[in-house]
Amino acid sequence: MDDTKIIDLYLCRDETAIAQTSQKFGNRLRALSYGIVNDRQTAEECENDTYMAAWNSIPPHEPRNYFYAFLARITRHISLSCCRERSRLKRSAFLCELSAEMEQCIPAPDDVECRIDDMTFQETINRFLHTLSEEKRNIFLRRYWYFDSIASISKRFSLTESKVKTTLFRCRSQLKSHLEKEGYNL
């Protein structure tokens, strides 16, 4: 079933929308969640929570042209929240490593007055991603959106781990420069 028909089911409050969503996107959403939480049962719970959140979000949202991205964003948010909750006392070294890498190039103000308008920042990041070659963009997204390890990225794209690390380092440097040019103080 195509995305538009599934969205129509949500809008009609037809519960088969969830079954259709699960059939079409379940494996991908579960894999995304598993990459973050690293636990099969928790990933399944996050997937199910995603369906509930989608049910509650549609309407008013009608993500007809970006349904998977809509679901992936929800799954990622739920998975990260689950990860934070699960490791409040002990921080996950992997998530800390990724956070430290990105802190070098993305500002993170602590007070409300300094918070960046999310839509403007999103557009800036999207413009940056469009400047990258397809391979660099995919490597960057696999690492910082899907939280893939360096080893899995190198295997996926048939590259050496050194090449992946170098590409990520250069992309972060380019992102930092791009953000500075856009007027963000780092």
Side-chain angles (χ1 to χ4, degrees):
M1 183 177 283
D2 74 346
D3 295 356
T4 303
K5 291 179 181 175
I6 296 173
I7 298 296
D8 288 338
L9 292 173
Y10 276 102
L11 292 172
C12 293
R13 309 313 281 168
D14 185 339
E15 292 180 13
T16 59
I18 293 173
Q20 292 296 324
T21 304
S22 176
Q23 182 179 355
K24 186 167 184 180
F25 299 114
N27 291 336
R28 291 169 63 189
L29 296 173
R30 204 172 318 105
L32 172 62
S33 182
Y34 183 79
I36 297 169
V37 299
N38 203 24
D39 177 62
R40 182 168 280 114
Q41 184 177 3
T42 305
E44 289 173 3
E45 290 173 14
C46 291
E47 176 194 0
N48 289 330
D49 290 347
T50 298
Y51 301 141
M52 178 59 91
W55 181 264
N56 292 330
S57 301
I58 305 170
H61 301 288
E62 291 187 36
R64 293 179 191 278
N65 298 327
Y66 55 94
F67 191 43
Y68 175 72
F70 176 80
L71 295 170
R73 183 176 188 272
I74 293 171
T75 301
R76 188 172 184 274
H77 175 74
I78 291 170
S79 299
L80 287 170
S81 295
C82 187
C83 215
R84 280 187 207 105
E85 191 173 309
R86 189 174 62 185
S87 63
R88 275 194 185 146
L89 298 177
K90 62 172 193 162
R91 301 265 316 214
S92 168
F94 181 67
L95 291 178
C96 287
E97 175 189 339
L98 291 178
S99 296
E101 288 176 7
M102 292 308 290
E103 282 174 2
Q104 297 172 11
C105 56
I106 295 181
D110 293 331
D111 60 347
V112 176
E113 295 170 2
C114 293
R115 297 234 181 250
I116 299 169
D117 178 25
D118 289 342
M119 294 301 289
T120 305
F121 190 67
Q122 176 186 349
E123 290 171 9
T124 302
I125 295 293
N126 284 336
R127 278 194 305 275
F128 165 73
L129 290 173
H130 287 300
T131 67
L132 299 176
S133 68
E134 184 177 353
E135 179 182 71
K136 289 179 182 178
R137 182 173 47 243
N138 287 333
I139 291 170
F140 190 86
L141 290 173
R142 291 307 312 179
R143 180 70 171 161
Y144 299 114
W145 177 260
Y146 293 102
F147 296 115
D148 286 358
S149 68
I150 299 291
S152 69
I153 294 170
S154 66
K155 185 177 179 181
R156 175 184 283 265
F157 296 108
S158 300
L159 301 168
T160 64
E161 289 188 23
S162 177
K163 167 84 171 167
V164 171
K165 288 177 185 178
T166 302
T167 300
L168 289 169
F169 176 79
R170 289 178 180 162
C171 285
R172 287 192 310 272
S173 296
Q174 290 173 336
L175 175 59
K176 183 176 181 179
S177 296
H178 180 79
L179 290 174
E180 288 171 346
K181 286 177 188 173
E182 292 284 330
Y184 292 97
N185 295 323
L186 306 179

